[in-house]
Amino acid sequence: LNMTEEQFVLDTLAGCIEYKSLLDVVVNAFSVQDGRYCLASEHNLYAVICYLATFQLEELGFQRFSRIVKSLDTVKMQKFLRFFFNDFYLNTWIKDEWSHIYDSLYVKQNWIDPLLRWQPKVQQLIEQLTDKLCNRTTTVKTSMVTQPKEFHFSVPRQRAIAVPQPKEFHLSVPRQRAIAVPQPKPVLQKRVPVPPSTYKAPKERRQLEEIKIKNQHRAEVTNTNQFRCATVKPEKEEVCYKLLYYLNVPSIDNIPIKLNAAAILREGALYQRKMEQDLKRTENLLQGAGDLSEFLEWQKQMREKDLEEQLAEIECRRLQGKLSYEEAVLAHQNVIQQNKKKADLIREEKAELMHQYAEKRLQEQKEMRELVEQVVEGHKNVKQAKIKLQKYKQQIVQEVCEENRELLRQALEEEEEKLKKRYELIQQIRAIESLPSVRHKVVDLTETGGHGLICEMSIVELRERLALLREAQKAAEEERRDQIIHEKRAKEQLLLDKLDQISLFRAQLGWAAAVKQEEKKRKSQCRDRHVKDERILNLQKKLVEKNMERKKQAGLL
């Protein structure tokens, strides 16, 4: 081989050894599924093809890869490429098995995605191999039959020479070989359609929307004369409509909502605590406690101020995060340039090491040839010693065989004596067992066992005591059943009381909902007013500068 071919062979061998665990996953699965009739010695063939397709296809080029595949057995390569470049296999179990050995993101980006990109061209190569299998015809080379020719002697013409007649040979017509039928392509199972209920809204939500629209319409058309006792200002008209909407809560409660016992008790305890807090606050007001409206107003203003400061701080952090991202991208681009330089140095060192390795291998081969020649000369002198040693061993074997025969004869005689004694003993035991014996015994259920224990009792007494225990157990079960029924009824009554209490408190929640809605509206208005201080403006300016620098660096790369 020249230097280029030798380098390619060494690189392929080193890659197959380095990624042996990955290649074994694919080749072993192919041997189990589609390669059941392949030889075990062909494992390395499939491993090399798998390595070239996964790691060297970009460097080799598709044309050189196609020539390598077509130079091998057509049936084997057609089966293996169809198995390995299957979209379903690459995206499922091959990626999962390789991810157990290497990082899943690295496997997908560097191996699975390139294989999927090459899959259309490889599919064309598979179709070419299939067509070659279908159109292949076996041609049998027929040997040329010798045609005899007349032989002329240099004699006078008057003497006639008998010319031998050629013999006829009838050759048998060779049978045509069977054409290998390609296996059908695997067909994926039909997927289960998505149920139509996935894209439909639930029935309860639709009912809630209808009730909400009805209540809103009812609040709008309500006669304003019903509220003549109070003068409603224009700016408070919207608040009144919202209060009317939330006062129509009982119509929403008509929708059936399942509540278990724990939920009812939990909600009842919540409302009970709220009621106790309201009563306590009312008592404090009656006893002369001060009004907290001014404090609450001041507290509200301070909270709005804190909210504005928090929004400004959040905006600063967001801009700092973007600035850090731009700096990280610039650092990453610098690292890529440094890595490229290091990779060039490593390639040069690798080429130098491979050259040294090749020279070392040639020297080792030369030394090995000299060693083989020395060993062959030594073997010639050893043959005579082997013949003498073989004769000596044969003599020892004959002596050992004679001693073994004598020992075996003595062991057989001793075993016969033991068998005779055993046979006589068995005959005596059978004679004793054949004698008749009386085994009948009368059982009295009223008598005890007579073992001398304090707790002994007869079977009749035992039965009576068991009957008494059953009756006592049955009475205890009846009493326990009555107790459970009584507790169940008490619990049901408690749950009914809690449900009545919950329905009363839910009617009062409508008032609080309107107030919460107004508070949410104010908060949303506060969020819309972003305070842009000098820090935010400086960070935005730095962010624009870093973005321009990153785009410039990307253009250079």
Side-chain angles (χ1 to χ4, degrees):
L1 299 177
N2 55 26
M3 291 299 294
T4 305
E5 294 175 348
E6 185 178 2
Q7 183 68 27
F8 172 74
V9 172
L10 291 175
D11 291 341
T12 303
L13 176 60
C16 291
I17 295 172
E18 181 179 359
Y19 299 103
K20 185 176 184 299
S21 56
L22 297 179
L23 303 178
D24 288 342
V25 170
V26 179
V27 178
N28 292 336
F30 171 74
S31 301
V32 173
Q33 183 173 349
D34 293 337
R36 292 188 295 272
Y37 302 105
C38 297
L39 300 177
S41 59
E42 297 171 354
H43 183 279
N44 293 332
L45 172 65
Y46 298 127
V48 170
I49 296 299
C50 182
Y51 170 76
L52 294 178
T54 307
F55 302 95
Q56 298 292 330
L57 192 54
E58 296 286 345
E59 298 180 4
L60 277 177
F62 187 73
Q63 294 182 355
R64 294 182 65 186
F65 178 76
S66 301
R67 289 200 298 270
I68 293 173
V69 170
K70 291 179 180 179
S71 64
L72 301 173
D73 188 82
T74 307
V75 178
K76 297 175 184 177
M77 292 297 103
Q78 189 258 358
K79 285 184 178 180
F80 181 74
L81 292 178
R82 186 177 60 187
F83 172 84
F84 182 50
F85 282 90
N86 191 330
D87 292 339
F88 179 73
Y89 292 165
L90 289 173
N91 289 319
T92 54
W93 62 267
I94 292 179
K95 184 176 72 174
D96 295 340
E97 292 293 330
W98 286 1
S99 298
H100 293 164
I101 305 171
Y102 293 90
D103 184 69
S104 59
L105 183 62
Y106 182 81
V107 170
K108 185 177 185 303
Q109 293 179 354
N110 294 285
W111 297 334
I112 299 297
D113 291 342
L115 288 174
L116 293 175
R117 288 198 302 268
W118 285 104
Q119 199 270 344
K121 291 188 176 181
V122 176
Q123 190 65 32
Q124 295 177 2
L125 176 60
I126 294 172
E127 292 175 359
Q128 294 176 6
L129 296 175
T130 306
D131 295 336
K132 184 178 180 181
L133 289 174
C134 296
N135 300 329
R136 184 174 61 184
T137 56
T138 57
T139 58
V140 180
K141 294 182 180 180
T142 57
S143 59
M144 297 296 294
V145 180
T146 303
Q147 297 293 336
K149 296 182 180 179
E150 294 182 359
F151 184 79
H152 299 281
F153 292 95
S154 57
V155 294
R157 294 182 179 179
Q158 64 271 15
R159 187 176 293 179
I161 300 172
V163 179
Q165 296 293 331
K167 296 181 180 180
E168 295 181 359
F169 296 95
H170 299 282
L171 299 176
S172 60
V173 180
R175 295 181 181 178
Q176 293 184 355
R177 295 182 181 178
I179 299 173
V181 180
Q183 295 183 357
K185 297 181 179 179
V187 181
L188 297 177
Q189 296 181 357
K190 188 176 181 181
R191 63 180 182 83
V192 179
V194 179
S197 60
T198 305
Y199 306 103
K200 293 183 180 178
K203 182 173 64 177
E204 289 78 5
R205 184 181 296 176
R206 188 169 62 254
Q207 292 177 359
L208 287 171
E209 293 293 336
E210 292 176 358
I211 293 170
K212 182 178 177 181
I213 295 171
K214 289 180 182 178
N215 291 337
Q216 188 175 3
H217 181 69
R218 191 185 305 168
E220 291 175 355
V221 300
T222 302
N223 189 3
T224 58
N225 293 329
Q226 296 178 1
F227 306 98
R228 65 180 63 182
C229 60
T231 59
V232 181
K233 296 180 180 180
E235 60 269 11
K236 294 185 178 180
E237 188 175 359
E238 184 180 357
V239 178
C240 293
Y241 283 140
K242 290 183 178 179
L243 288 173
L244 289 173
Y245 165 66
Y246 284 107
L247 282 174
N248 292 320
V249 175
S251 62
I252 298 177
D253 293 337
N254 294 329
I255 298 174
I257 298 175
K258 292 185 179 180
L259 292 176
N260 54 11
I264 293 171
L265 293 175
R266 187 165 53 248
E267 193 169 357
L270 176 63
Y271 292 147
Q272 184 69 25
R273 286 196 300 271
K274 288 183 178 180
M275 186 174 65
E276 291 175 357
Q277 292 174 1
D278 294 339
L279 290 174
K280 187 175 180 181
R281 185 170 59 253
T282 305
E283 289 177 359
N284 292 333
L285 292 173
L286 292 174
Q287 291 175 3
D291 191 6
L292 300 177
S293 59
E294 295 179 359
F295 172 73
L296 293 176
E297 184 66 24
W298 174 80
Q299 188 180 23
K300 184 178 179 181
Q301 293 176 0
M302 296 303 294
R303 285 180 179 174
E304 290 178 356
K305 185 177 179 181
D306 294 340
L307 180 61
E308 292 176 357
E309 292 178 357
Q310 288 178 3
L311 291 174
E313 185 66 25
I314 290 170
E315 184 67 18
C316 290
R317 290 180 182 176
R318 186 179 68 82
L319 294 175
Q320 287 176 359
K322 286 188 176 181
L323 187 62
S324 300
Y325 172 75
E326 296 294 337
E327 292 176 354
V329 171
L330 288 173
H332 181 66
Q333 291 175 352
N334 293 330
V335 170
I336 291 174
Q337 292 180 353
Q338 294 177 2
N339 290 338
K340 285 183 178 179
K341 294 178 181 178
K342 292 180 181 178
D344 295 335
L345 292 175
I346 291 172
R347 289 194 190 95
E348 294 176 358
E349 293 177 356
K350 185 178 178 182
E352 183 65 24
L353 290 174
M354 292 303 297
H355 182 69
Q356 295 177 2
Y357 177 74
E359 293 179 353
K360 184 178 179 182
R361 288 296 303 272
L362 292 174
Q363 185 66 26
E364 289 178 355
Q365 290 178 0
K366 184 177 179 182
E367 294 176 356
M368 187 61 68
R369 290 193 194 97
E370 295 177 355
L371 182 60
V372 168
E373 293 176 357
Q374 295 176 3
V375 171
V376 170
E377 293 178 357
H379 285 175
K380 293 179 180 178
N381 299 328
V382 172
K383 286 183 179 179
Q384 296 179 358
K386 283 185 177 179
I387 295 171
K388 294 180 181 180
L389 182 61
Q390 187 175 4
K391 291 181 180 179
Y392 179 70
K393 288 182 179 179
Q394 289 177 356
Q395 185 178 359
I396 293 173
V397 168
Q398 291 178 358
E399 295 176 356
V400 172
C401 289
E402 292 177 357
E403 293 178 357
N404 288 338
R405 290 194 194 96
E406 183 65 23
L407 293 173
L408 183 61
R409 185 181 60 78
Q410 294 176 2
L412 289 173
E413 292 177 355
E414 293 177 356
E415 191 66 27
E416 288 178 356
E417 291 292 334
K418 290 180 181 179
L419 289 174
K420 287 180 182 179
K421 292 179 181 180
R422 192 176 298 171
Y423 179 74
E424 293 176 356
L425 182 60
I426 291 170
Q427 292 294 333
Q428 293 175 4
I429 292 171
R430 288 180 179 176
I432 294 170
E433 290 179 351
S434 62
L435 296 176
S437 60
V438 179
R439 298 181 181 179
H440 182 67
K441 185 178 181 180
V442 179
V443 178
D444 188 3
L445 299 179
T446 58
E447 293 182 356
T448 61
H451 300 294
L453 301 174
I454 298 175
C455 58
E456 281 186 346
M457 66 179 72
S458 62
I459 296 176
V460 175
E461 184 181 358
L462 178 62
R463 290 175 180 173
E464 291 177 357
R465 291 191 179 187
L466 288 175
L468 293 174
L469 287 174
R470 290 193 190 98
E471 292 177 359
Q473 186 178 5
K474 188 175 181 181
E477 289 178 356
E478 291 292 336
E479 183 180 358
R480 179 61 179 166
R481 189 177 294 110
D482 295 338
Q483 184 180 358
I484 290 171
I485 292 171
H486 179 70
E487 292 176 354
K488 187 176 180 181
R489 289 176 180 173
K491 188 176 180 180
E492 290 177 355
Q493 186 63 33
L494 177 63
L495 292 176
L496 291 174
D497 297 339
K498 290 291 182 182
L499 284 174
D500 295 337
Q501 186 180 5
I502 288 169
S503 62
L504 292 175
F505 278 101
R506 283 183 177 177
Q508 297 177 3
L509 291 177
W511 296 93
V515 178
K516 289 182 180 179
Q517 188 70 19
E518 287 295 327
E519 188 176 356
K520 288 182 180 177
K521 187 175 180 181
R522 291 196 204 97
K523 289 182 178 180
S524 63
Q525 291 176 358
C526 292
R527 291 191 186 97
D528 294 338
R529 294 176 298 178
H530 292 291
V531 179
K532 293 189 176 180
D533 54 0
E534 295 181 358
R535 289 189 303 165
I536 296 175
L537 295 175
N538 293 332
L539 288 174
Q540 288 179 350
K541 185 176 180 181
K542 289 182 180 179
L543 181 62
V544 171
E545 293 176 357
K546 291 292 183 181
N547 195 359
M548 296 294 292
E549 185 179 354
R550 179 175 63 82
K551 290 182 179 179
K552 183 178 179 181
Q553 189 71 16
L556 292 176
L557 287 175

